[in-house]
Every structure is written in structure tokens, then in C-alpha cells.
Amino acid sequence: MSDEESTEYETLLCDDHEVVLIDCGPREMDVILAVRKVTGQSLWHSRDLARRAPVTLVGGLSAYRAQSAVAVLQGVGARAEWRQEPEPGERTAP
């Protein structure tokens, strides 16, 4: 196995992805319930998160779990994406 293949394999297994809610869309209550499902937080806290969009909902997920969470959110009309978490101390664009 080449170094490139092993690096790709490691990247896929790392639990360093986050789910970002970008916009609730027109179905706010459905998105709040989806946020609750994804985060496991209370309804009140989920509503607060949804209304503060854009916001990071959860982090430390595998790529598969992050994609699944985004699919749940997009299924109710939200704009959401998953991305790799930055390394500690690494700057992100504002």
C-alpha cells in the first residue's frame, strides 16, 4: 500500500468533522426538531441553536455520521454542511 492510500484511509476514519447549520429556511419548527435529533439537546436549546445560524451544531464526528446529520437537516429544508474541524491553533476564515 502506498503512503497516499494509507493517508486517505486515515482521513476517512478520523472523528474530526463538524456539522454547521447555515440557514433554517422556511420550515423553522421542522429544522428545530431536526437539530434536536442531531444534537440530542433540549427543544429550547435546539431552538436557540437554530435561530443563531450560521452555527456549528456538533463536532468530533466521523465523516459518515456528519454526512448523515447533514442529510437529516437538509431533509427538512435547512441549509447545512459538514466540514473537517480545524487543527487546534489553526485559523479559519472569518
Side-chain angles (χ1 to χ4, degrees), residues 28-44:
E28 183 179 295
M29 191 60 202
D30 291 335
V31 173
I32 291 169
L33 294 173
V35 168
R36 184 178 188 193
K37 181 177 182 177
V38 167
T39 63
Q41 298 291 327
S42 69
L43 188 59
W44 179 84

Side-chain angles (χ1 to χ4, degrees), residues 19-85:
V19 175
V20 179
L21 176 65
I22 298 169
D23 183 50
C24 278
R27 297 168 46 193
E28 183 179 295
M29 191 60 202
D30 291 335
V31 173
I32 291 169
L33 294 173
V35 168
R36 184 178 188 193
K37 181 177 182 177
V38 167
T39 63
Q41 298 291 327
S42 69
L43 188 59
W44 179 84
H45 189 71
S46 298
R47 182 190 69 174
D48 185 47
L49 284 172
R51 290 183 174 172
R52 287 191 301 151
V55 63
T56 300
L57 297 178
V58 288
L61 300 176
S62 66
Y64 175 78
R65 291 195 65 194
Q67 289 173 348
S68 297
V70 168
V72 168
L73 294 164
Q74 289 176 342
V76 295
R79 285 184 44 224
E81 63 183 31
W82 65 279
R83 44 178 98 141
Q84 192 162 0
E85 289 181 355

Side-chain angles (χ1 to χ4, degrees), residues 1-14:
M1 183 183 299
S2 72
D3 288 336
E4 184 178 313
E5 289 177 33
S6 64
T7 302
E8 182 179 347
Y9 183 70
E10 285 179 26
T11 301
L12 293 175
L13 293 179
C14 290

